[in-house]
Amino acid sequence: MINEQESGAVGGQSTVAAAEVIAAQMSTETSPLGRPGRPWDRRSPFWVGMAGTAGVAVMVGLVAAVVSVSSVLVLMGLSMFLAIGLEPAVSWLTGRGLRRSAAVVVVVLCAGGVVGGFLAVAIPVLVEQITQLVAQLPGYLRSAQDHSSLLGRLNDQFGIQRNLEQSFSQGGAAIAGSVLGAGLAVFGVITSGLVVVVLTIYLLADLPRIRSGVYRMAPASRRPRVILMGDEIFAKVGSYVLGNLLISVIAGTFTTVWLLILHVPYAALLGIFVALLDLVPVVGAPIGGILVSLLALTVSLPVAIATGAFFVAYHLFEDYLLVPRIIGGAVKVPALVTVVAVLLGATLLGVVGALVAIPLAAAAILLLREVALPRLDRS
């Protein structure tokens, strides 16, 4: 046994010594570590199976990572969307000799002033009108029990009061849980809003560097065309964001004035509600009009009909006059594509997806027209 082990050790040493001699012969001045050996046969079953398994594992890990941080990615995407939307204002100021940092500060202060002024005007009105609504609830209850009134007939037909009483009689724990859930939802919305504001400011300040970094990822031979198409997409997004905000403000103002003329209660509250819903394309404006018209039933049926007619006329005015003049030809998306894009965006990302659906559809149409279709025509 010892002789076999000794002979094996001697044989191993001689093998290593022979390999060292061959290594010394392979080492040259041009290739001190010798020439590489034959590459692996990547068509071998082992290599194909290992590469396929590794690829599947990497894709599963990437999908799991994206799903786990999807909420953060949505906030980042919304922040980039807002930063691109504010970029035209920053570019206008920098074109007049202002440094970019100062221009970003001016734009952020102006946007914060507009939002702060809106809240300063809206919050007292909301508090006052919600207080009035709570104070008038007993009157609405008496009207619901009066079978000759419109509210009473609706109560008799749909059992509104009975359903409300059953909901409140289910127990205080369920109500407390609902209140707690609503409080947590409000806290989450406020936190997400602060994150979006901070990210938007940083992205807006560093947008030229981000833009250059994205363009450098394109091949040098195609980089000029990528820059032209990318700048066109940025312009479309910026025009859409600013134009959509202006159109929503006009919608809320017109709604408030109309409801004040007809003495519909909570006019300012409903005007703010319509302005917020009008930000969502395609579906937001009709939903706001229907809900406000239904609330106008508390005044009278003719007022509700007149309010519905007003919303129909206003949305025709908005679609055929305001949108072409304010947003213009920057975002040209066919009606069918607009509806499909908004529905898909709302299904995938909720309200945020519906907000960004139209400019993303415009960008997709641009890429399809300038890149995909010419290649198909040449094939």
Side-chain angles (χ1 to χ4, degrees), residues 161-244:
Q161 184 179 1
R162 183 179 63 255
N163 293 330
L164 289 176
E165 291 176 351
Q166 290 177 356
S167 299
F168 281 104
S169 64
Q170 289 179 353
I175 298 175
S178 300
V179 173
L180 180 60
L184 292 175
V186 171
F187 179 76
V189 169
I190 294 174
T191 304
S192 300
L194 292 176
V195 171
V196 169
V197 169
V198 173
L199 284 177
T200 301
I201 294 173
Y202 279 106
L203 291 173
L204 186 60
D206 212 26
L207 197 58
R209 190 181 304 175
I210 296 173
R211 171 182 171 274
S212 300
V214 172
Y215 289 157
R216 286 196 65 184
M217 297 175 67
S221 59
R222 301 182 181 181
R223 195 170 296 158
R225 181 164 168 79
V226 171
I227 291 174
L228 292 175
M229 289 191 296
D231 288 348
E232 182 68 17
I233 292 173
F234 283 175
K236 289 178 181 295
V237 174
S239 300
Y240 176 79
V241 171
L242 295 178
N244 197 24

Side-chain angles (χ1 to χ4, degrees), residues 106-142:
V106 170
V107 171
V108 170
L109 289 178
C110 290
V114 171
V115 174
F118 173 78
L119 293 177
V121 173
I123 290 177
V125 175
L126 291 175
V127 172
E128 178 184 355
Q129 295 194 349
I130 290 175
T131 303
Q132 293 178 2
L133 176 63
V134 173
Q136 294 179 3
L137 281 178
Y140 289 145
L141 291 176
R142 288 192 298 270

Side-chain angles (χ1 to χ4, degrees), residues 48-346:
V48 172
M50 186 178 66
T53 303
V56 171
V58 170
M59 289 304 300
V60 170
L62 288 176
V63 171
V66 170
V67 170
S68 62
V69 298
S70 59
S71 58
V72 178
L73 294 178
V74 169
L75 295 180
M76 293 176 61
L78 180 59
S79 302
M80 178 60 75
F81 181 76
L82 294 176
I84 296 174
L86 295 175
E87 175 62 20
V90 176
S91 299
W92 185 84
L93 291 175
T94 54
R96 277 142 183 84
L98 204 62
R99 294 179 58 184
R100 182 168 184 89
S101 57
V104 170
V105 171
V106 170
V107 171
V108 170
L109 289 178
C110 290
V114 171
V115 174
F118 173 78
L119 293 177
V121 173
I123 290 177
V125 175
L126 291 175
V127 172
E128 178 184 355
Q129 295 194 349
I130 290 175
T131 303
Q132 293 178 2
L133 176 63
V134 173
Q136 294 179 3
L137 281 178
Y140 289 145
L141 291 176
R142 288 192 298 270
S143 178
Q145 295 173 355
D146 186 2
H147 303 288
S148 61
S149 65
L150 175 62
L151 190 58
R153 292 194 296 271
L154 291 174
N155 183 36
D156 292 338
Q157 184 173 359
F158 298 104
I160 300 174
Q161 184 179 1
R162 183 179 63 255
N163 293 330
L164 289 176
E165 291 176 351
Q166 290 177 356
S167 299
F168 281 104
S169 64
Q170 289 179 353
I175 298 175
S178 300
V179 173
L180 180 60
L184 292 175
V186 171
F187 179 76
V189 169
I190 294 174
T191 304
S192 300
L194 292 176
V195 171
V196 169
V197 169
V198 173
L199 284 177
T200 301
I201 294 173
Y202 279 106
L203 291 173
L204 186 60
D206 212 26
L207 197 58
R209 190 181 304 175
I210 296 173
R211 171 182 171 274
S212 300
V214 172
Y215 289 157
R216 286 196 65 184
M217 297 175 67
S221 59
R222 301 182 181 181
R223 195 170 296 158
R225 181 164 168 79
V226 171
I227 291 174
L228 292 175
M229 289 191 296
D231 288 348
E232 182 68 17
I233 292 173
F234 283 175
K236 289 178 181 295
V237 174
S239 300
Y240 176 79
V241 171
L242 295 178
N244 197 24
L245 287 174
L246 180 58
I247 291 173
S248 297
V249 171
I250 295 174
T253 304
F254 276 34
T255 300
T256 303
V257 172
W258 174 263
L259 296 179
L260 288 174
I261 292 173
L262 294 185
H263 302 289
V264 177
Y266 323 115
L269 176 62
L270 296 177
I272 295 170
F273 177 72
V274 169
L276 293 176
L277 283 180
D278 198 68
L279 290 172
V280 182
V282 180
V283 296
I287 292 175
I290 292 172
L291 293 177
V292 173
S293 300
L294 291 176
L295 289 174
L297 280 171
T298 58
V299 180
S300 66
L301 182 60
V303 170
I305 294 175
T307 302
F310 160 76
F311 277 106
V312 172
Y314 172 77
H315 290 306
L316 291 175
F317 167 74
E318 178 181 296
D319 293 338
Y320 292 99
L321 184 62
L322 289 182
V323 172
R325 287 184 178 273
I326 295 177
I327 299 180
V331 184
K332 292 183 179 179
V333 180
L336 178 60
V337 178
T338 299
V339 175
V340 173
V342 171
L343 292 177
L344 291 177

Side-chain angles (χ1 to χ4, degrees), residues 339-366:
V339 175
V340 173
V342 171
L343 292 177
L344 291 177
T347 302
L348 294 174
L349 299 176
V351 176
V352 175
L355 289 174
V356 303
I358 292 180
L360 290 182
I365 290 174
L366 175 66

